[in-house]
């Protein structure tokens, strides 16, 4: 890919603070979805919220709590954004996540007609993320959020999802999450892999040169379209008991179970990557942010003897490994947060509780980044030379899944993987710049 | 993998070659008003070839093939690549696929239907294609040096090897020094 020398500096004074930045640890959050029944009330809410959102230039996690706001295509329409302007947004965003179910593999029991209401319906207009370091501060901020929408009869709260990131930073299957994230050129936010060149700002913020060497068209007018980013959220149920049973049934010892679990993910539970800790978990490595993502694949592990080519993290970011396509065009910022009560340690039977991951993607190109990764790297194996395989951790299988674990002297092949993760619903949203929030609030008519 | 350049040889007629594969690119003229019948005939033709068992696929020698009707239904593009040289083998391919299956679509092209030997001599197929052929400026195949038979053999060996590896006794069996090259491939 070309490195561009004449890029416009990223206008951090206009980007919503807290979107590009890693979140503090631990933290709690609440995702709210709102419907706009009266555009004037919707605009008034945005005006109030915009006042409370710090620009990325001065934003700091030390503030302890913050909002981010994003709108679906229908939300923009509900605010009265003119049709000519709506037509300048990318087609997949205009279609919305439910309409893209075929591309994303949300079929059968995971198809939108089975999603949790109101996900996937025309009612989802505004997504409000309320994030705080602890529950007390969250309550205070939720109060403030309520002040922004509460007394406006034309805005209705239709969904609330409470989430949390544990102090251990473990997701529901028990792995440290939120480790690997890319550096964004000009953002000042360091990436977690010192060996990965920062990605061009246009990969994550609209209106800048991206990794193609070009500046993608910006939704019009520029006041609305520039300095924004797309936010994809997906509520993903995790079958934790099923995952634990699978490990137990395919291992000879507790140690074996941990090794198998690590092979599926590509990291040990502590977060230590298999490439750097091939034999056993190394909790000190897993916990050390200066080392736990400092690796590539090709030199150390071309054939996947340490980290399987088909493991979750190697699929999601093949780094320098040889796969079909150009990896740097398919990177993303993630903000995953757990929901639901953790399944107590050692429990192997499902307790019927809803739990999983509120997956959040952030990037400037929904189709080329999120949809590509979900369809090609999660839901297919051809890019990795294994057409019959899917992502062993998060992929959907229409039958028993296959997963190859390279090993000496002989590779191991699992041929009976069940599905561990199921889609409960989600939406494609646009997180406008601060200028755009004011532009939307000032719409007339 | 051996590097081979794209060359045109006398044997490959006016088609270009990359490794063991040659190409044919032909622009034919659609008989006025017959585009729909042409398309229907082509669908049948492709179905016929897709149904062929592997042994027959190797005998036919067509590596890949596409047909596209364009310019308001007036023209037909045929692009194909062929194991070895297409020129000496095209008559064989016509015979194996069945002349009637070629005529089924070629009859809707000017080049074939206006040829005096059409419907009488199988060689009319080759002549009408040659008449419509244009030289390719570039021709590239990612795997230029394997014939279809070699690809098929490779597939069978791979499947056999996977079956061996699925056997719990494989690790021990592959320790024999004579099997060292296979053991090196057993890890992934
Ligand atoms: C419930 C579902 C999921 C679980 C439990 C899960 C879990 C994990 C874990 C434990 C890691 C390693 C920690 C890290 O590098 O931050 C990871 C990394 C990652 N995941 Fe997931 N994930 C899920 C769904 C997804 C989905 C749907 C996508 C994308 C469409 C995705 C994309 C990624 C990416 C890009 C990485 C970083 C890879 C790297 O840079 O090395 N994940 N995930």
């Amino acid at each position: 890919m070309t490195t561009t020398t004449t890029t416009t500096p990223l206008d951090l004074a206009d980007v919503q603070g807290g979107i590009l930045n890693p979140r503090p640890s631990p933290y709690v959050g609440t995702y709210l979805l709102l419907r706009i029944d009266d555009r004037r009330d919707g605009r008034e809410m945005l005006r109030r919220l915009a006042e409370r959102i710090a620009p990325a230039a001065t934003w700091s996690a030390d503030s302890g709590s913050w909002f981010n706001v994003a709108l679906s295509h229908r939300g923009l329409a509900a605010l009265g954004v003119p049709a000519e302007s709506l037509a300048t947004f990318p087609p997949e965003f205009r279609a919305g996540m439910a309409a893209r179910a075929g591309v994303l593999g949300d079929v059968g029991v995971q198809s939108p007609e089975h999603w949790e209401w109101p996900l996937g319906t025309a009612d989802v207009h505004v997504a409000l993320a309320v994030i705080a370091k602890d529950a007390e501060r969250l309550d205070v901020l939720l109060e403030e959020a309520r002040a922004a929408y509460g007394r406006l009869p034309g805005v209705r709260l239709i969904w609330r999802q409470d989430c949390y990131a544990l102090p251990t930073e473990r997701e529901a299957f028990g792995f440290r999450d939120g480790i690997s994230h890319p550096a964004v050129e000009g953002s000042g936010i360091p990436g977690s892999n010192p060996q990965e060149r920062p990605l061009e700002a246009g990969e994550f913020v609209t209106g800048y040169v991206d990794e193609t060497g070009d500046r993608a068209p910006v939704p019009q007018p520029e006041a609305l379209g520039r300095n924004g980013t797309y936010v994809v959220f997906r509520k993903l149920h995790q079958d934790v008991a099923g995952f634990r049973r699978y490990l137990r049934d395919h291992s000879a010892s507790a140690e074996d179970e941990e090794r198998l679990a690590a092979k599926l993910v590509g990291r040990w539970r502590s977060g230590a990557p298999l490439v750097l800790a091939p034999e056993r978990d190394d909790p000190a490595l897993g916990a050390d942010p200066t080392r736990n993502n400092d690796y590539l694949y090709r030199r150390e592990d071309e054939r996947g003897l340490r980290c399987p080519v088909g493991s979750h993290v190697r699929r999601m970011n093949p780094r320098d490994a040889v796969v079909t396509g150009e990896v740097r065009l398919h990177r993303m910022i993630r903000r995953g947060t757990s929901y639901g009560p953790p399944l107590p340690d050692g429990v192997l039977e499902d307790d019927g509780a809803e739990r999983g991951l509120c997956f959040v993607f952030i990037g400037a190109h929904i189709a080329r980044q999120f949809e590509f990764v979900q369809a090609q790297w999660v839901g297919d194996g051809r890019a990795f030379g294994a057409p019959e395989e899917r992502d062993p951790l998060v992929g959907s299988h229409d039958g028993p899944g296959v997963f190859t674990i390279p090993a000496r002297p002989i590779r191991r092949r699992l041929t009976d993987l069940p599905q561990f993760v199921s889609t409960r619903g989600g939406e494609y949203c646009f997180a406008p710049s601060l200028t755009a929030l004011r532009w939307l609030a000032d719409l007339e008519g | 993998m051996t590097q081979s350049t794209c060359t045109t040889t006398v044997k490959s007629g006016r088609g270009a070659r990359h490794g063991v594969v040659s190409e044919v690119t032909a622009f034919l003229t659609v008989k006025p008003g017959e585009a729909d019948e042409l398309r229907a005939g082509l669908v049948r033709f492709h179905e016929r070839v897709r149904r062929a068992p592997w042994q027959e696929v190797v005998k036919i020698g067509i590596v890949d093939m596409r047909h596209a009707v364009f310019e308001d239904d007036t023209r037909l593009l045929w692009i194909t690549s062929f194991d070895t040289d297409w020129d000496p083998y095209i008559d064989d391919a016509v015979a194996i696929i069945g002349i009637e299956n070629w005529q089924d679509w070629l009859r809707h092209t000017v080049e074939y239907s206006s040829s005096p030997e059409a419907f009488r001599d199988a060689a009319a197929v080759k002549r009408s294609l040659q008449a419509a052929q244009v030289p390719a400026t570039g021709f590239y195949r990612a795997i230029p040096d394997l014939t279809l038979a070699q690809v098929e053999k490779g597939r069978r060996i791979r499947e056999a090897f996977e079956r061996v590896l699925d056997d719990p006794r494989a690790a021990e069996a592959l320790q024999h020094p004579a099997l060292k090259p296979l053991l090196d491939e057993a890890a992934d």
Side-chain angles (χ1 to χ4, degrees):
Chain A
M1 242 19 27
T2 49
T3 355
T4 5
T5 43
T6 54
T7 47
T8 330
L10 183 55
D11 187 2
L12 291 171
D14 200 27
V15 176
Q16 288 189 44
I19 291 205
L20 302 177
N21 314 66
R23 290 178 180 174
S25 168
Y27 68 92
V28 285
T30 296
Y31 293 109
L32 303 173
L33 294 179
L34 302 121
R35 187 181 69 214
I36 298 170
D37 295 325
D38 179 327
R39 55 180 62 173
R40 282 179 203 82
D41 284 354
R43 293 167 190 165
E44 177 55 27
M45 173 181 69
L46 286 190
R47 186 187 327 282
R48 295 177 188 173
L49 287 172
E51 281 169 14
R52 288 286 292 109
I53 296 176
T58 57
W59 182 92
S60 156
D62 296 340
S63 67
S65 64
W66 68 96
F67 294 124
N68 286 122
V69 62
L71 299 139
S72 69
H73 185 252
R74 287 201 173 89
L76 292 170
L79 286 166
V81 173
E84 316 84 81
S85 170
L86 291 172
T88 60
F89 281 84
E92 68 283 358
F93 170 72
R94 281 186 280 153
M97 187 184 284
R100 305 290 287 171
V103 175
L104 301 176
D106 293 330
V107 294
V109 291
Q110 302 188 88
S111 62
E113 68 259 31
H114 301 295
W115 285 1
E116 177 179 323
W117 189 89
L119 304 176
T121 71
D123 285 357
V124 177
H125 293 166
V126 182
L128 186 59
V130 186
I131 310 287
K133 278 182 167 173
D134 51 52
E136 293 76 60
R137 286 184 241 213
L138 184 71
D139 284 342
V140 174
L141 198 61
L142 279 168
E143 245 344 288
E144 276 189 48
R146 214 165 292 131
Y149 63 77
R151 250 165 281 143
L152 297 170
V155 176
R156 183 160 302 211
L157 177 68
I158 56 170
W159 189 74
R160 170 180 174 151
Q161 179 67 60
D162 292 320
C163 315
Y164 57 88
L166 294 170
T168 55
E169 296 173 58
R170 304 288 175 107
E171 51 69 51
F173 291 143
F175 294 84
R176 184 191 297 271
D177 198 1
I179 297 173
S180 179
H181 55 89
V184 184
E185 189 68 58
S187 71
I189 302 162
S192 57
N193 182 355
Q195 302 187 54
E196 182 180 55
R197 207 161 25 88
L199 288 136
E200 293 289 350
E203 290 297 310
F204 299 102
V205 183
T206 52
Y208 297 88
V209 170
D210 62 34
E211 287 289 323
T212 66
D214 235 350
R215 181 176 164 277
V218 165
Q220 293 299 309
E222 299 243 333
L224 171 63
R226 255 180 85 81
N227 292 324
T229 185
Y230 293 93
V231 176
V232 172
F233 76 89
R234 245 161 118 71
K235 184 173 176 180
L236 300 173
H237 173 76
Q238 292 176 249
D239 179 5
V240 177
F243 183 71
R244 291 179 185 170
R245 280 199 307 276
Y246 188 83
L247 295 179
R248 188 203 51 192
D249 294 347
H250 292 76
S251 310
S253 64
E255 213 178 26
D256 258 19
E257 277 187 40
E258 289 312 289
R259 180 178 303 270
L260 176 57
K263 292 288 186 183
L264 294 169
V265 173
R267 290 181 182 269
W268 299 92
R269 289 189 198 263
S270 74
L274 282 174
V275 169
L276 301 182
E279 296 306 329
R280 59 195 63 80
D281 198 356
D282 179 347
L285 171 63
D288 182 350
T290 65
R291 293 191 293 141
N292 64 13
N293 202 33
D294 186 0
Y295 74 94
L296 298 174
Y297 291 111
R298 210 189 304 174
R299 202 186 57 230
E300 314 283 358
D301 192 30
E302 179 153 36
R303 293 172 72 185
L305 289 160
R306 295 178 177 191
C307 179
V309 172
S311 64
H312 177 59
V313 303
R314 189 155 174 170
R315 281 173 170 264
M316 295 300 91
N317 180 10
R319 303 184 187 214
D320 64 337
V322 177
V323 298
T324 318
E326 168 54 54
V327 171
R328 288 174 67 84
L329 296 179
H330 312 293
R331 302 283 288 115
M332 62 177 74
I333 293 177
R334 290 170 301 135
R335 297 277 174 262
T337 328
S338 300
Y339 71 88
L343 188 67
D345 281 347
V347 174
L348 293 176
E349 288 312 315
D350 190 32
D351 59 357
E354 269 296 315
R355 64 171 60 84
L357 189 77
C358 262
F359 173 87
V360 172
F361 153 100
I362 288 157
H365 309 274
I366 293 178
R368 155 153 89 65
Q369 295 169 325
F370 171 70
E371 290 190 342
F372 178 96
V373 171
Q374 180 67 35
Q376 304 302 321
W377 289 353
V378 171
D380 201 324
R382 283 174 297 175
F384 311 102
E388 67 284 9
E389 300 190 16
R390 311 267 176 278
D391 188 307
L393 190 72
V394 310
S396 309
H397 315 285
D398 43 6
V402 180
F403 178 55
T404 306
I405 304 174
R408 286 200 200 282
I410 288 187
R411 97 289 185 264
R412 177 175 184 194
R413 182 161 289 172
L414 303 171
T415 54
D416 60 351
L417 272 179
Q419 185 171 327
F420 299 121
V421 170
S422 322
T423 313
R424 291 287 189 258
E427 193 49 279
Y428 292 166
C429 298
F430 178 66
S433 68
L434 299 177
T435 302
L437 284 175
R438 288 188 292 270
W439 184 89
L440 289 164
D442 290 345
L443 280 170
E444 279 169 11
Chain B
M1 203 160 291
T2 54
Q3 284 303 311
S4 10
T5 46
C6 172
T7 50
T8 304
T9 66
V10 177
K11 260 181 154 181
S12 63
R14 280 186 285 159
R17 231 173 105 170
H18 188 189
V20 298
V21 184
S22 65
E23 67 67 56
V24 181
T25 304
F27 292 92
L28 294 111
T29 317
V30 182
K31 286 174 74 180
E34 297 187 15
D36 285 340
E37 290 149 291
L38 170 64
R39 270 190 286 263
L42 283 167
V43 168
R44 288 189 291 271
F45 186 72
H46 279 253
E47 278 167 358
R48 157 74 183 85
V49 181
R50 279 186 181 221
R51 271 199 311 270
W54 183 257
Q55 296 78 354
E56 199 183 60
V57 167
V58 172
K59 286 168 72 178
I60 294 169
I62 292 176
V63 177
D64 55 43
M65 162 170 77
R66 77 197 62 169
H67 288 93
V69 179
F70 67 110
E71 269 181 25
D72 288 334
D73 286 355
T74 60
R75 310 199 67 195
L76 169 68
L77 169 64
W78 185 35
I79 296 184
T80 179
S81 47
F82 212 84
D83 232 0
T84 73
D85 296 311
W86 83 277
D87 192 271
Y89 288 106
I90 184 70
D91 292 334
D92 308 44
V94 171
I96 298 164
I97 295 173
I99 181 75
E100 65 286 0
N101 294 303
W102 292 83
Q103 287 165 347
D104 191 21
W105 59 274
L106 275 169
R107 68 172 67 243
H108 304 293
T109 68
V110 171
E111 286 74 8
Y112 185 75
S113 59
S114 64
S115 146
E117 307 94 37
F119 308 106
R120 279 188 283 127
D121 179 358
V125 172
K126 180 174 177 178
R127 273 194 286 276
S128 54
L129 293 176
Q130 273 173 333
Q133 193 187 355
V134 293
T137 308
F139 173 52
Y140 162 79
R141 278 190 60 78
I143 302 181
D145 52 358
L146 294 181
T147 65
L148 290 174
Q150 287 175 301
V151 170
E152 173 58 11
K153 173 77 176 167
R155 191 217 320 251
R156 288 203 311 274
I157 290 180
R158 183 175 181 281
E159 283 168 4
F161 191 50
E162 297 294 344
R163 280 207 305 282
V164 171
L165 296 185
D166 286 336
D167 190 315
R169 294 162 301 180
E172 194 199 326
L174 287 173
Q175 295 305 325
H176 193 284
L179 299 180
K180 171 90 173 41
L182 289 181
L183 188 63
D184 290 343
E185 294 300 330
D188 60 354

